[in-house]
Amino acid sequence: MIEVYVDGASAGNPGPSGAGVFIKADGNVIRASQPLGNLTNHEAEFEALIHALSICIDNEFQSISIRTDSQLVSSSVDNRYVKNRNYQPYLTHALALVDRFELCFIKWIPSSKNKVADELARKAIPLNTA
């Protein structure tokens, strides 16, 4: 099972944002930092998930276990529902990607267990162009 850690970060809410992805795959490691433009923190969290899912699809992974410190993202994917309509497009996109895997689990973890993805997300923030 491929372990996937995701995190989104924003310098302001909304503000310049970044996605961090850390993947442990069969002894290999993938690290990704992606600038996201101006988003809210929750939007950045969803975008980080979408970015991670895309990387996993590109690498033809079939079984993944995702860890996020965003309770909103974790519960939204688990329940396939989000109450706030502003996040519905993000959830719809993420679920379309999730459904392409043979197995895909998502689990909430505390921020203290998601430090690498958090560092990668924060590293992406200054990469946004003005």
Side-chain angles (χ1 to χ4, degrees), residues 2-130:
I2 308 298
E3 294 178 25
V4 181
Y5 294 82
V6 301
D7 200 16
S10 294
N13 200 22
S17 301
V21 178
F22 178 65
I23 300 172
K24 294 186 206 174
D26 304 322
N28 295 319
V29 170
I30 299 170
R31 288 179 169 86
S33 292
Q34 178 71 38
L36 301 172
N38 284 336
L39 298 176
T40 67
N41 190 59
H42 289 312
E43 290 168 337
E45 296 281 3
F46 274 109
E47 285 288 349
L49 172 63
I50 290 165
H51 189 59
L53 291 167
S54 297
I55 291 170
C56 290
I57 289 167
D58 289 347
N59 282 278
E60 299 180 354
F61 300 145
Q62 295 299 311
S63 300
I64 62 173
S65 178
I66 301 165
R67 277 99 173 185
T68 177
D69 59 20
S70 171
Q71 291 180 337
L72 172 68
V73 169
S74 177
S75 66
S76 296
V77 172
D78 265 345
N79 297 318
R80 300 181 76 89
Y81 171 80
V82 65
K83 187 175 181 178
N84 186 325
R85 288 185 290 176
N86 293 332
Y87 306 134
Q88 187 60 53
Y90 296 102
L91 179 60
T92 299
H93 188 181
L95 291 175
L97 297 174
V98 163
D99 290 343
R100 294 177 60 180
F101 294 92
E102 287 178 18
L103 288 172
C104 181
F105 301 100
I106 190 164
K107 177 182 178 182
W108 176 84
I109 59 172
S111 296
S112 62
K113 304 282 187 197
N114 205 26
K115 289 188 183 289
V116 175
D118 177 66
E119 288 171 11
L120 291 166
R122 292 182 187 286
K123 184 174 144 184
I125 291 173
L127 301 177
N128 287 286
T129 56

